[in-house]
Amino acid sequence: MHPEQVLDYLLSQDQKQIQQLIKQAGQVRDAQRGRQVYLRGLIEISNQCSYNCLYCGIRRKRHNLIRYRLDRDTIIKLALFTWQQGYHSICLQSGQIDDPAWLSEIIEIVHQIKTQTRQLDPNGQGLGITLSLGELSPAQYQAFFDAGAHRYLLRIESSNPDLFASIHPPGQSYDQRINCLSQLKSIGYQVGTGIMIGLPGQKAHHLLQDLEFFKNLDVDMLGMGPYIPHPDAPLYRSRKPTHLSPYLSTLKMLALCRITMPDINMVASTALQSIHPQGLQMGLDAGANVVMPVLTPDEVREQYSLYAGKKNRSGQELLSAIRACGYEPGLYTWGDAPHYHKRLQHR
Ligand code: 5AD
């Protein structure tokens, strides 16, 4: 699609035109990927974070939040439970980690999960393990890869350096984020990135730039969701205007990305499901093909409060919801993006 046409859609207020875009994206997804929706059991292993992202509810300087860490047994039990449920992929997520001992512990946990679930799998693959643990060193990324993780999610949040700088404190650098993404790729991970949509000061041309960024990075996976202000995070009090509708613009971006990158995986994010009752249905209709049921234990779920009103949907509820939306849960499979395998062939 021509950049001007993308921009035209991003600026459009015309319901008919937007519906037509979503319909086209759905057709591309059906033709290229079918109607399977893959599941990633999300385990939010800790809400400790050494970063201070201005939008985030688990930022270090938020002092009115009880911090937790799940222990090894709990994480491994949850992973085995995920396997038994037939979701053959998990995602371990946490805030930015600055404790080397805890990091080594997680590497060991990944290794254990991989070893134990391989023994349960007639094909010997075991659980697919995705990580979303922030910015680490190349050696640390490599250690996780060697321990058995094969996908990594690291959102750029906005690919525009100025917009990025306006939502992060000075110490957190755009270039560092880009370095991490390229290191992950060269190690051999399936790499996912993504953005928040509807940020203060963000305009349609930023989203066009994001789409170009995803294409140039040659991503395998995308996670895009609406920005949802958190009252305990500084960006809540931003005086910059919101130009984009977080919900509608997220749907448009999903559709545009599906049409321009048919063979990647895209999540119907929890944030999208949280801001609108039709979020799951519309996200899937606009081309998303992944959902992440939350497996984090009830006792700590509320503490992983990235934004206000986070809707933590668990497995069974999501399975029924996927079916009710007219899609089929992709069970007993990793559900990799074909893009990754094509990318490797051309290396
Ligand atoms: N609104 C929406 N998404 C948020 N995230 C963090 N804070 C918010 C918020 N206020 C997202 C970021 C991060 C992911 C784990 O959660 O994009 O990468």
Side-chain angles (χ1 to χ4, degrees):
M1 207 185 285
H2 201 270
E4 258 134 56
Q5 206 184 349
V6 172
L7 200 58
D8 190 49
Y9 277 121
L10 290 170
L11 289 165
S12 176
Q13 304 283 348
D14 178 349
Q15 286 302 322
K16 263 212 183 120
Q17 193 188 11
I18 299 168
Q19 267 166 23
Q20 175 267 324
L21 173 72
I22 290 174
K23 189 169 164 204
Q24 189 189 341
Q27 286 166 348
V28 171
R29 191 267 329 282
D30 287 356
Q32 305 254 352
R33 306 299 310 277
R35 290 182 71 84
Q36 289 218 322
V37 176
Y38 301 109
L39 298 142
R40 315 284 182 237
L42 177 65
I43 311 176
E44 293 147 329
I45 59 173
S46 169
N47 68 350
Q48 294 170 332
C49 187
S50 60
Y51 274 6
N52 268 309
C53 306
L54 304 183
Y55 45 84
C56 186
I58 65 166
R59 62 199 304 270
R60 176 166 57 84
K61 286 189 186 161
R62 184 173 168 210
H63 296 299
N64 60 346
L65 178 69
I66 300 168
R67 304 286 170 164
Y68 72 88
R69 245 183 217 182
L70 299 183
D71 61 34
R72 183 193 290 226
D73 278 0
T74 307
I75 299 171
I76 294 176
K77 273 196 193 124
L78 284 168
L80 293 174
F81 172 78
T82 313
W83 175 266
Q84 284 150 11
Q85 297 291 302
Y87 326 148
H88 280 188
S89 261
I90 52 165
C91 175
L92 303 182
Q93 191 176 79
S94 78
Q96 177 70 32
I97 299 162
D98 64 355
D99 173 357
W102 167 231
L103 202 70
S104 307
E105 173 81 2
I106 311 169
I107 295 170
E108 180 53 31
I109 292 170
V110 167
H111 180 72
Q112 288 276 332
I113 292 173
K114 198 70 194 178
T115 313
Q116 292 191 30
T117 54
R118 268 194 176 137
Q119 285 162 3
L120 298 172
D121 185 357
N123 301 319
Q125 282 192 312
L127 266 180
I129 303 178
T130 305
L131 301 176
S132 174
L133 306 173
E135 296 176 359
L136 303 174
S137 71
Q140 290 164 336
Y141 285 145
Q142 185 69 54
F144 274 115
F145 191 77
D146 296 342
H150 71 148
R151 303 190 186 110
Y152 205 102
L153 306 173
L154 183 66
R155 287 189 180 181
I156 190 73
E157 313 299 356
S158 168
S159 68
N160 179 287
D162 294 328
L163 192 55
F164 181 97
S166 76
I167 59 170
H168 293 102
Q172 287 175 231
S173 105
Y174 178 84
D175 292 343
Q176 173 60 10
R177 193 65 58 101
I178 301 283
N179 287 341
C180 287
L181 285 165
S182 84
Q183 283 150 7
L184 288 163
K185 247 178 96 176
S186 62
I187 290 171
Y189 280 97
Q190 300 178 31
V191 177
T193 190
I195 51 166
M196 286 180 292
I197 296 173
L199 290 163
Q202 190 182 40
K203 291 187 170 173
H205 71 86
H206 291 120
L207 298 185
L208 170 62
Q209 195 180 345
D210 292 326
L211 193 141
E212 297 293 334
F213 173 84
F214 301 149
K215 276 202 288 194
N216 291 333
L217 189 66
D218 210 10
V219 290
D220 305 305
M221 309 175 288
L222 278 181
M224 297 183 289
Y227 162 61
I228 306 175
H230 194 298
D232 290 324
L235 201 65
Y236 189 84
R237 287 174 292 282
S238 168
R239 281 191 292 273
K240 283 192 197 151
T242 305
H243 304 281
L244 301 169
S245 148
Y247 178 61
L248 216 54
S249 299
T250 299
L251 295 180
K252 288 181 189 177
M253 272 301 269
L254 283 170
L256 290 163
C257 289
R258 175 54 73 202
I259 293 165
T260 46
M261 294 169 273
D263 58 359
I264 63 168
N265 277 349
M266 287 197 309
V267 70
S269 61
T270 307
L272 180 65
Q273 297 177 51
S274 299
I275 54 158
H276 197 286
Q278 293 295 308
L280 177 65
Q281 176 83 63
M282 292 307 294
L284 296 177
D285 288 353
N289 67 332
V290 171
V291 293
M292 300 173 75
V294 179
L295 288 156
T296 311
D298 287 343
E299 306 86 78
V300 294
R301 261 185 200 196
E302 291 303 309
Q303 285 150 248
Y304 205 85
S305 56
L306 298 171
Y307 42 82
K310 182 162 166 264
K311 193 167 169 182
N312 292 312
R313 287 172 120 172
S314 55
Q316 288 309 320
E317 189 197 339
L318 258 182
L319 286 191
S320 322
I322 291 166
R323 293 198 176 100
C325 290
Y327 296 84
E328 197 46 47
L331 296 170
Y332 308 107
T333 169
W334 280 1
D336 282 345
H339 186 83
Y340 172 71
H341 299 286
K342 284 187 213 160
R343 189 157 71 72
L344 288 195
Q345 277 164 16
H346 294 122
R347 228 167 35 169

